[in-house]
Amino acid sequence: MSTLSDRPENSVVGVPEPHESAALHVTGRALYTDDIATLRRDTLTAWPVQAPHAHAHIIALRTEPALVVPGVVRVLTAADVPGVNDGGIWNDEPLFPTEVMYFGQAVCWVLGETLEAARLGAAAVEVDYEVLPSLITVPEAIAAGSFQGAHRITRRGDVDAALATAPHVFTGEWEFSGQEHFYLETMASLAYYDEGGQMYVQAGTQHPSETQEIVAHVLGISSNAVTVQCVRMGGGFGGKEMQPHGLAAIAAIGATCTGRAVRLRLNRTQDLTMTGKRHGFHVAWTVGFDDNGRILGLKASLTADGGWSLDLSDPVLARALCHLDNAYWIPAIEAHGQVAKTNKTSQTAFRGFGGPQGIMVIEDILGRCAAPLGIDPALLRRRNFYAPGQTTPYGQPVRHAERMEAIWSQLLDKSEFAERSAQIEAFNAVNPHIKRGLAITPVKFGISFNVAAFNQAGALVLVYKDGSVLINHGGVEMGQGLHTKMIQVAATALGVPRASVRLAPTRTDKVPNTSATAASTGADLNGGAVKNACDQIRERMSVVAGGMLGANPTDVRFSQGKIHALGVHGQELTFADVAKVAYQQRVQLSAAGYYRTEGLHWDAEAWRGSPFKYFAYGAAAAEVEVDGFTGAYRTLRVDIVHDVGDSLSPIIDIGQIEGGFVQGAGWLTLEDLRWDTTDGPGRGRLLTQAASTYKLPSFSEMPEEFNVTLFEHAHEDGAIYGSKAVGEPPLMLAFSVREALRQAAARFGPAGRMTELASPATPEAVFWALTAAKQALATTAPGVDAPGAKRIPVLADS
C-alpha cells in the first residue's frame, strides 16, 4: 500500500460530513462573483452587441449612437485591445470579430453606469453585415468537408475480417444531441486594477491559471501582473473550463480603458446563446456478433459537432474514442473520429468530456441488437465484459476488471432484478396501453487528463501558532464538494479535528500554474498536493514533538489534535502546544505541496498508451413505465452500485452520484437543443434559449425510489487515501433509463424486433418508437415473431 493511499486510524476522511458551504448556500449568505461585484460602488456593467446572423462579414460598425445614451461610458471594440485580440488557446477565437461565425456572437461590448444603460447603449449600436452561407448541422458540415482539429483513429485487430466472418452483422447511422450546462450561476467576471497596478479578476472559472494567462495575453502584460480569484461557482459542469477566459478579458479591457472596475454577467438568454454546449455527434457503425452474442468486431465513424472554433473539441473527441468500448471487450475495432466545424456556439467541455458520447455508441448498439440476437440485453452486456488480463483498444491494461462483474452481481441482487423482470413481463401481458421496462447498464470510466502535463497540482498549507490551519489549493469549488474533501484530507494528514482547518479561496498568486478542476481529477490531484504539504509540516513538527517527549521523531503520532509517542506513557501534547514551540524554535510551519500523477503515458499519433490512472466502475438498474397513447413516461425505481474506492466523504460522494445520474438522464431523455435550420432570416438561431423551451430535470423526473450503494472493499492503491474520482462517471449510469425506455417501447411490438430510439428520448421520441413497434405488430400474424427473430431467454449468468 502506498503512503498516499494509506489511511490512518481516527481519520477525518471517510466520515460523513456536510458540504463546507452548505449553511451559506441555504441561507443565501454564500457570495458569488456578481455578489462581490455589486459590493463596489464604482463598477461599470458590460453588455454585448450580438450578431443576428449565423455567418456574416461585418461591413460597418457605428458606435456613436450608443455614446449619446445616458449612462453609457464607452463602447469596446478591437481598437481597445492592448495585446492580442483573441480569447482562446488556439488563436481562433477573436474577442472582436470581423467575421461573425454564429448567431448571437458578440461583435462589441458597451460599458454603462447601470445594467439598463449598457443594455440600451448596445441596442443603439449600428452594425452592417454581409450575410454568408452557413453550416448548421453536422451532415451539412460533412457534405461540405468542413472540419477542424485532428482526424483520430483507434484500431485493434483485423476488423474487416471479423465482420466478414461474423454470423450476425448489424449496421446503423444516427445523430444524438448535445446538452446545455444550465448552471445556476451564469458566466460572470469582475476586473479592476489595485493601487499597485495589479490587474485583479474575480471570475467564475474552472481554470483560474488559464484565465490569468488569457487576460495577460489580451492585455499584453505578464502573468505576474494578473491575479485571478474564484471564491466559488454556482455550477460549472465543464462549461466554465475554457469559455470564461474571453469574458474575463473583456472585463479587464474595460477596466484598462476606463480606470474603473467592470463587471460582466451574462443573463440567461445571453449565456444560452453565446456559450458552448456538450458536443452532439453523428455516428455510423457496423458490428458483428457470434452466435452467443459476443462482439467480434466493430467499425465506426464518429463526427463531433465542434461549433465555430476548436476549443476543447480535440480532447473531447479523444476521450469519446477512448470510451467507445465502455466495459466491453472488443477484439477487433476500427473507429475514426473527426470534429465538424459548424456555425454554432463553440461546443466545449461537459461532465464526462466525450466519454458519455463514446459510451452512448456501444450502449445503443447493444440495446438495438439484443432483440434480433434473441438474447436478454442484460445478459448480452454481461457476456461482453472485460476479463482480467485484457487491454483496451489503445493498449491500456484494464485493472480490476473483475470489479465490474462483482458490482453487476451485487446490483442484480440488491435491485431484485430477476424477480422484478418476471413481474414486469406479467404486468405487460395484461396491460395493452401501458408498458414497463427494466434495464441494467455498466460504466467503466478512465480517470486522468489525456494530456499528461495537466495531471499535476499544488497547494499551500499554513499552520499558525495557536494550532489552527489554513489551506489553499489549485482546485475550485463549484458545488461538487472539493473544498470539503480537501479540509478532510488536511485534517487527516495533520491529525487535527476538521474544525481546526479553514480553506482560503482559490487564487493564482497563492498556487500558480494550476490545472483545470475537471476530468474528475480535482480530489486526486489537489488532495495529493495538500497531503504533501501537510506531510512536510508534520515531519518538522514530529522532530519538535519528539524533543518535547524524549522520543524518536519516527515514533511520534498525531491524532485528533493530540500528539503522543510510542513507548512514552502518560505524556500527551496538543497540536497547538507543539506548533507554539515549533515557532519558538524557528521551525517552518508552512509548506508548498506538490503532486503529479505517476505512470501515465500517451502517444496521440499512434493512439497507444496508458492515459488513465485507473478506471471507475459502476452499474445502474432503472425501471420505467410508458403510456402507449402519448409516449409519456415515469421513472419508477433506480438502483445504483458505484465504485468510489474508499470514499473521502460519503455524503458528498452519494450526492455526486445522484446528481450525475439525474443530469445524465436529462441529457438522454429531456434536454433537446434545437437550432433554426431553415433558410430564413433566423437560420442558426438557438430556438431553445430559455427554461420555457429547454426542458430540465425536476422533481417530477426523479425516480420514485432511488437507492445508491457505494461499492465496498474498493481501496485504490496510489490514490489519495485509497479513494476514487466521482464527478463524471455516475452521469453515464443514466443509460439504464434510456435502455429501459427502449425495452418498454419494444413491448408494444413483436418480439425480436430491433427498436430504434432517438436521443434525447423525449416523450415524443418514445411515442414514435412505440408507434413503429405497434405498426410492426399490426403487420405480423398473431403468434408470429418479427422476421428473423429469436425468443429472448430468461436472464441467466454467462
Side-chain angles (χ1 to χ4, degrees), residues 254 328 384 635:
Y328 310 112
N384 284 286
T635 303

Side-chain angles (χ1 to χ4, degrees), residues 463-469 494-497 500 541 544 548 558 560-563 573-584 589:
V463 173
Y464 295 94
K465 288 183 289 184
D466 64 357
S468 61
V469 180
L494 290 172
V496 298
S500 297
M541 291 182 69
V544 176
M548 295 171 70
F558 294 66
Q560 298 177 314
K562 306 292 184 181
I563 299 176
L573 306 171
T574 68
F575 188 83
D577 291 338
V578 178
K580 186 178 297 183
V581 172
Y583 167 76
Q584 292 168 346
L589 289 174

Side-chain angles (χ1 to χ4, degrees), residues 507-520:
R507 287 176 61 108
T508 57
D509 61 354
K510 297 295 185 290
V511 180
N513 308 319
T514 58
S515 295
T517 304
S520 301

Side-chain angles (χ1 to χ4, degrees), residues 47-59:
W47 192 275
V49 175
Q50 294 181 263
H53 304 290
H55 191 197
H57 283 309
I58 298 174
I59 304 302

Side-chain angles (χ1 to χ4, degrees), residues 27-65:
T27 57
R29 291 183 292 121
L31 289 178
Y32 296 87
T33 294
D34 205 49
D35 298 319
I36 296 168
T38 56
L39 296 176
R40 295 183 61 95
R41 299 192 179 187
D42 64 336
T43 305
L44 298 172
T45 296
W47 192 275
V49 175
Q50 294 181 263
H53 304 290
H55 191 197
H57 283 309
I58 298 174
I59 304 302
L61 176 63
R62 293 180 290 277
T63 61
E64 296 80 6

Side-chain angles (χ1 to χ4, degrees), residues 519-668:
S520 301
T521 62
D524 284 359
L525 296 180
N526 295 289
V530 168
K531 184 176 185 298
N532 175 255
C534 292
D535 287 348
Q536 294 176 49
I537 296 170
R538 182 167 168 163
E539 185 176 346
R540 297 175 201 142
M541 291 182 69
S542 292
V543 175
V544 176
M548 295 171 70
L549 293 169
N552 191 304
T554 59
D555 293 330
V556 173
R557 298 293 181 268
F558 294 66
S559 179
Q560 298 177 314
K562 306 292 184 181
I563 299 176
H564 69 278
L566 300 178
V568 178
H569 303 288
Q571 291 189 60
E572 187 176 73
L573 306 171
T574 68
F575 188 83
D577 291 338
V578 178
K580 186 178 297 183
V581 172
Y583 167 76
Q584 292 168 346
Q585 293 182 3
R586 296 184 294 178
V587 173
Q588 184 181 359
L589 289 174
S590 64
Y594 180 76
Y595 173 80
R596 51 174 284 177
T597 308
E598 300 293 345
L600 305 179
H601 57 94
W602 179 243
D603 184 336
E605 296 305 317
W607 208 256
R608 303 290 294 175
S610 292
F612 304 120
K613 174 69 174 176
Y614 56 79
F615 294 104
Y617 298 94
E623 180 180 352
V624 301
E625 182 179 274
V626 173
D627 185 322
F629 293 111
T630 65
Y633 48 80
R634 295 185 299 142
T635 303
L636 302 179
R637 176 176 168 180
V638 170
D639 294 88
I640 291 172
V641 176
H642 195 71
D643 167 22
V644 297
D646 289 341
S647 175
L648 290 177
S649 193
I651 290 178
I652 297 296
D653 286 345
I654 289 173
Q656 283 291 288
I657 293 168
E658 292 172 342
F661 177 88
V662 171
Q663 190 169 53
W667 171 50
L668 294 169

